Amino acid sequence: TNNVSRKEKYKFLVTIQNIIIYTWLILSFISLITFLFQINYIFHIREGCWVGIGSVEGRLFGIFLNPNNASIISLISIIFSVFQLVSKVEFSAKKFINILNIAIQFSYIVLAESRGTALVMAFCVFLITFLIVYKKLNFKNIYKIVLGLLIAAISCAAVLLSMKFFNWLFYCAAKFVQEITPYCLDKKSKDISVQRTDYIENNDISNLRFRIWLSAWEIFKKNWLFGVSSGNVVEYAKDVLPETFIAKRSYTRAHSVWIGLPLYTGIVGALSMYAFFALNFFKTCKHYFKNYLLVKIKESDSMLMASALLTGAICVYGLVESELFFVNSMCSLIFWVYFGFLVNNLKRSTN
């Protein structure tokens, strides 16, 4: 609200950051231990529903229920730690903790094998690199743009290649731990895998997402005005369109928030939300073009920059996962808290 001081808002946001940093540092560290010692169990809850612990199916679940959801929070935690190291804000976690957190979270992301998180990481690296290069170089605009794009692309490739290298490094570390602790490990777990088993002999690069999206499109065409609610989409598909992939597999998620919006809310809801996000996207771009690319940015705007990067990253993640709407998740909560801060402060800056 307008009665809350800027310092109090910063303190609240940094407190959220610290909670995520400390909590995810502990949880991710324990998860890495399960990989090094090759602790892996699968608990079958009911038919077709199971929970993995440790390294399962060539990817690290650790102590998390879903490695996709866990790895995106790991990336968010990295963004928080980098922000605290660069900005040196009050109330932030210790420098050592932030550096350690970045290393641990990157390690978990590598082993979790989440392509969605890798996509978002590449987006963040590309955007930050481009903005830094564009700001630092004293060339003409066209040369700064071309060189910025080139260096940003190289940086992306370097990060993705480093993930492959660290994947191999952790494989060697796990093999070494097995060799020195032979009596602490199950003899049957000698084969350590750092490649997802669902990638092997799988020609579908989307890992079934394309089929889910095409199925969502078929359902949307039947109810294009107001859509089908997320809680009833499977029942509706089985009743009206039983041949669709969603009906056959009983998928309740569209695996994309931007495809899920028209599916669940129809044209009416989707256009409203698309317009809302587009309007705030252009406001954000306008603000940073004027205050960052044209002039030296103020120190007080560092939280705004972190909020813009964070919300943009989660929007990109929404391309391949169901976030922001129709779910109760930590990622969604973080998005709306920081998006609210961003929109509120952009509104003030234009008044």
Side-chain angles (χ1 to χ4, degrees):
T1 63
N2 294 332
N3 296 325
V4 180
S5 68
R6 190 180 189 86
K7 185 176 181 179
E8 289 174 324
K9 289 180 181 179
Y10 269 49
K11 184 177 180 181
F12 172 71
L13 293 177
V14 173
T15 299
I16 293 176
Q17 293 178 5
N18 290 339
I19 292 172
I20 299 297
I21 288 170
Y22 283 108
T23 303
W24 234 249
L25 174 60
I26 295 171
L27 297 178
S28 296
F29 178 75
I30 296 173
S31 297
L32 292 178
I33 294 299
T34 66
F35 176 81
L36 289 176
F37 287 91
Q38 284 298 289
I39 300 169
N40 45 75
Y41 296 101
I42 296 179
F43 295 96
H44 292 276
I45 300 174
R46 58 180 182 273
E47 186 178 355
C49 182
W50 55 269
V51 175
I53 294 179
S55 185
V56 179
E57 293 188 341
R59 61 190 311 204
L60 181 58
F61 282 68
I63 58 173
F64 298 110
L65 186 64
N66 187 319
N68 291 331
N69 295 341
S71 60
I72 192 63
I73 301 299
S74 290
L75 180 57
I76 290 172
S77 184
I78 289 176
I79 293 174
F80 287 159
S81 285
V82 171
F83 163 75
Q84 292 190 2
L85 288 171
V86 173
S87 301
K88 298 178 181 178
V89 293
E90 291 186 81
F91 324 112
S92 63
K94 300 295 183 182
K95 183 177 180 180
F96 169 76
I97 294 296
N98 278 313
I99 294 174
L100 179 63
N101 182 59
I102 292 170
I104 294 296
Q105 302 308 336
F106 181 77
S107 300
Y108 180 78
I109 291 171
V110 167
L111 295 173
E113 289 276 358
S114 171
R115 290 181 290 182
T117 302
L119 171 68
V120 179
M121 183 181 291
F123 164 79
C124 292
V125 171
F126 185 92
L127 181 61
I128 292 172
T129 305
F130 174 78
L131 290 176
I132 291 174
V133 171
Y134 186 91
K135 185 67 177 178
K136 295 295 183 182
L137 294 180
N138 293 320
F139 301 148
K140 291 182 179 179
N141 282 341
I142 184 64
Y143 296 120
K144 288 202 292 186
I145 292 173
V146 172
L147 191 58
L149 292 174
L150 179 61
I151 295 176
I154 293 173
S155 300
C156 274
V159 169
L160 295 176
L161 287 174
S162 70
M163 292 178 70
K164 294 291 184 182
F165 171 75
F166 278 101
N167 198 301
W168 171 81
L169 200 63
F170 275 108
Y171 167 81
C172 294
K175 292 292 291 183
F176 175 74
V177 170
Q178 274 196 344
E179 292 299 324
I180 64 174
T181 58
Y183 300 105
C184 300
L185 299 166
D186 184 354
K187 297 295 184 180
K188 296 180 180 179
S189 65
K190 283 293 183 182
D191 294 330
I192 299 175
S193 175
V194 288
Q195 182 182 14
R196 287 178 57 171
T197 55
D198 55 349
Y199 287 176
I200 300 173
E201 297 181 359
N202 186 356
N203 295 322
D204 183 1
I205 192 173
S206 74
N207 209 21
L208 300 181
R209 280 178 172 81
F210 290 156
R211 297 179 68 178
I212 295 172
W213 297 342
L214 289 173
S215 181
W217 170 249
E218 294 298 322
I219 298 170
F220 164 74
K221 288 191 297 183
K222 285 287 185 179
N223 287 272
W224 60 270
L225 188 57
F226 294 109
V228 181
S229 65
S230 58
N232 296 317
V233 68
V234 173
E235 287 74 13
Y236 177 85
K238 289 182 177 180
D239 184 48
V240 180
L241 297 165
E243 296 303 315
T244 57
F245 191 68
I246 286 178
K248 291 179 179 178
R249 293 291 188 94
S250 296
Y251 279 124
T252 57
R253 296 184 302 161
H255 268 294
S256 172
V257 67
W258 308 115
I259 292 176
L261 271 173
L263 173 64
Y264 302 137
T265 65
I267 286 292
V268 175
L271 289 182
S272 300
M273 294 312 302
Y274 289 158
F276 171 72
F277 280 111
L279 177 64
N280 286 288
F281 171 76
F282 286 116
K283 282 183 179 179
T284 304
C285 290
K286 179 182 177 182
H287 174 83
Y288 285 106
F289 181 78
K290 290 172 59 178
N291 296 283
Y292 180 74
L293 297 181
L294 297 184
V295 297
K296 186 176 181 180
I297 191 166
K298 302 174 184 177
E299 284 296 322
S300 59
D301 284 339
S302 57
M303 185 66 82
L304 277 180
M305 291 195 69
S307 300
L309 175 65
L310 180 65
T311 53
I314 297 175
C315 284
V316 172
Y317 186 66
L319 291 170
V320 294
E321 288 291 344
S322 297
E323 287 295 344
L324 312 186
F325 302 100
F326 319 112
V327 293
N328 294 318
S329 68
M330 188 180 298
C331 182
S332 180
L333 174 63
I334 293 170
F335 173 85
W336 288 110
V337 169
Y338 279 84
F339 186 72
F341 173 81
L342 176 66
V343 171
N344 181 262
N345 283 272
L346 287 178
K347 188 183 297 183
R348 284 189 174 190
S349 68
T350 56
N351 290 339

